[in-house]
Amino acid sequence: DDLPLFSNIISDLFPGVERPVPDYGNLEDEIVNMCNSMNLQVTEWFKLKVIQLKDTIGVRHGLMTVGPAGGGKTCNARVLAGAMTVLKGDT
């Protein structure tokens, strides 16, 4: 609910500046591959949550994932770790 308000505040502060679209390279493909290898159902929501976790790790010194038991917190972290490990090996 706060995202539209935040977007409006940013556009008021920086009029005419377009928000850049992040390029995740092969990350989304590797998220799908990791989910398949872990026998997890791949949904757009889950892929979004994995990418959000990656973005959060990039800008924070520490974080804590919270949510109900069985909500996917551990799988999210494991999929991201596996995807990033495979991508690191590609360089």
Side-chain angles (χ1 to χ4, degrees), residues 55-75:
D55 288 343
T56 302
I57 290 170
V59 297
R60 302 278 184 229
H61 293 288
L63 63 96
M64 177 173 37
T65 56
V66 296
K73 301 177 296 292
T74 301
C75 289

Side-chain angles (χ1 to χ4, degrees), residues 4-79:
L5 177 62
F6 181 72
S7 295
N8 288 336
I9 291 170
I10 294 298
S11 66
D12 288 345
L13 291 172
F14 305 103
V17 176
E18 294 294 322
R19 187 173 150 226
V21 177
D23 178 20
Y24 295 106
N26 295 327
L27 179 60
E28 288 190 48
D29 294 334
E30 204 50 54
I31 289 171
V32 171
N33 292 339
M34 285 306 300
C35 286
N36 290 333
S37 70
M38 296 171 68
N39 294 319
L40 297 173
Q41 183 178 0
V42 183
T43 64
E44 290 300 315
W45 180 87
F46 188 75
K47 287 194 307 186
L48 174 65
K49 291 300 172 184
V50 174
I51 290 172
Q52 286 176 346
L53 179 61
K54 180 198 180 301
D55 288 343
T56 302
I57 290 170
V59 297
R60 302 278 184 229
H61 293 288
L63 63 96
M64 177 173 37
T65 56
V66 296
K73 301 177 296 292
T74 301
C75 289
N76 185 330
R78 288 180 180 166
V79 166

